[in-house]
Amino acid sequence: MKDLTAVERVARSELERLQLVRLRALVARAAERVPLYRERLRQAGVTSRDVRSLADLRRLPFTTKSDFRDAYPFGMLAVPLDEVVRIHASSGTTGKPTVVAYTRRDLATWSEVMARTLMAGGVGPRDVVHNAYGYGLFTGGLGFHYGAELVGAAVIPISGGFTERQLMVFQDLGSTVLCSTPSYALFLAEALEEAGVAAKDLKLRVGFFGAEPWTEGMRTALETRLNVMALNIYGLSEVIGPGVSVECPERRGMHVAEDHFLPEVLDPVTFEPVPAGATGELVLTGLTKEAIPLVRYRTRDLTTLDRSPCACGRTLARIGRITGRTDDMLIIRGVNVYPSQIEHALMQVPQVEPHYLLVVRREDALDSLEVRVEAAAAVAAAGGDAMRGLAAQLKRKIHEVIGLSADVSVLPPKSIERSAGKAKRVEDLRGKGGAAR
Ligand code: AMP
Ligand code: ZN
């Protein structure tokens, strides 16, 4: 098999040459085949011939999620349906889902970037990949599946749910690699503890966690409770699915598969690149996508971009942890709050479990934030005073981090609903009568 990872270590000048060739071809194809792009590029007065250096990327128009909605279901396609061999759709909390399509070559690209994702954690033919991402329209399950097959590992397409079977497979089939959302991994860790199975007696050694925001505190919890190295992975359906970026064992940001996806981090108001290391909106250009060419897609995800060399030897740029989405930001009494900031505050207090829900209400034009979080079993067993003490401590921490006072409800273990996929962290009841159950 050809060395899939060679491109991850080439000199930046060589990588950038490749990116430019691909970018020019992308613009030509998009203009030729997709009416939406043809019109936008015409308005911007740019043709593929104007793309002379990577800096010309900034002259290209943006694409947004609502473009996908308006083009529902197939208006973004650059190929006839005969050439499409797979269709996925992203969840979408409101209205129609976002439909994405793949040609055979797109699937090969996706398998390749997913194989590279797994290889970043040292996964190879000897591994047993326990793939608990959901199989179905969601890209997580099949994305990891094809990547695991390409590296020659034995993949178990277990998907999410059926906890007892998950535990049985860990033990009997000797899973070495866990792929799941971080919240589901935590749920599995709890289930193992309850069943009296010690993680060190399992063969798990590495976990690929993503598809939802999580924090360093959560990483520590997962690494100790599952006895794995926990790596952050990032991707989104519009761009391809998982496989856009992954941490190497240095764990100082996620390397972007830049030969396929060109990253920019921009100020979401001015659309100018942010200074090095500053947070902004991630914008991705899909350099090689056939079915749905993607020009400067605004992901709404907030992160940082780092092009400095990494100790692992990869020359690929790294993005930092996704700290929120521009559309996830809550404005509470005029203060901007991201759920990940609350998670960060909660995880600084050892006696809590990382299961939480933020409930936002508005009464008499005044916003209130309730943070529901589970106490560790020992605190719950110690009784009311211990629980109240913990609530007071958490209230102070949250105030320190977001500068806003929240009502903290410390609940007994298992009170907050678990999910086999992405966890629900926010219930915003403003404008909905205000009452939460
Ligand atoms: P979907 O297209 O349904 O797969 O969802 C993609 C979205 O999931 C991204 O735009 C992010 O908001 C979120 N996401 C994926 N991976 C991560 C990650 N590692 N950390 C935080 N959010 C993530
Ligand atoms: Zn690295």
Side-chain angles (χ1 to χ4, degrees), residues 65 89-92 98 133 138-140 182 209-214 231-239 241-242 245 254 297 299-302 320-325 327-328 422:
K65 188 153 193 121
S90 101
S91 34
T98 307
Y133 280 107
F138 172 57
T139 51
F209 304 125
E212 64 183 7
W214 56 306
L231 298 180
N232 196 4
I233 62 114
Y234 169 83
L236 62 169
S237 348
E238 291 85 346
V239 175
S245 58
M254 297 180 273
Y297 183 68
T299 65
R300 312 262 166 194
D301 291 320
L302 294 169
R321 233 175 227 297
I322 309 292
T323 47
R325 291 177 52 81
D327 44 9
D328 255 13
K422 301 188 191 224

Side-chain angles (χ1 to χ4, degrees), residues 1 199 221 248 298 364:
M1 190 168 100
C248 64
R298 291 187 56 191
D364 301 329

Side-chain angles (χ1 to χ4, degrees), residues 331-354:
I331 304 180
I332 301 171
R333 300 203 286 276
V335 178
N336 299 349
V337 178
Y338 289 98
S340 61
Q341 292 177 295
I342 308 264
E343 179 175 318
H344 176 70
L346 297 175
M347 294 304 293
Q348 289 177 30
V349 180
Q351 305 92 330
V352 300
E353 291 291 328

Side-chain angles (χ1 to χ4, degrees), residues 388-407:
R388 278 188 290 278
L390 180 56
Q393 192 187 351
L394 289 169
K395 196 176 164 80
R396 279 194 301 276
K397 265 280 169 248
I398 292 169
H399 192 265
E400 253 172 57
V401 172
I402 62 171
L404 201 82
S405 128
D407 302 316

Side-chain angles (χ1 to χ4, degrees), residues 308-321:
S308 69
C310 179
C312 75
R314 286 179 184 77
T315 44
L316 303 175
R318 286 166 287 168
I319 54 170
R321 233 175 227 297

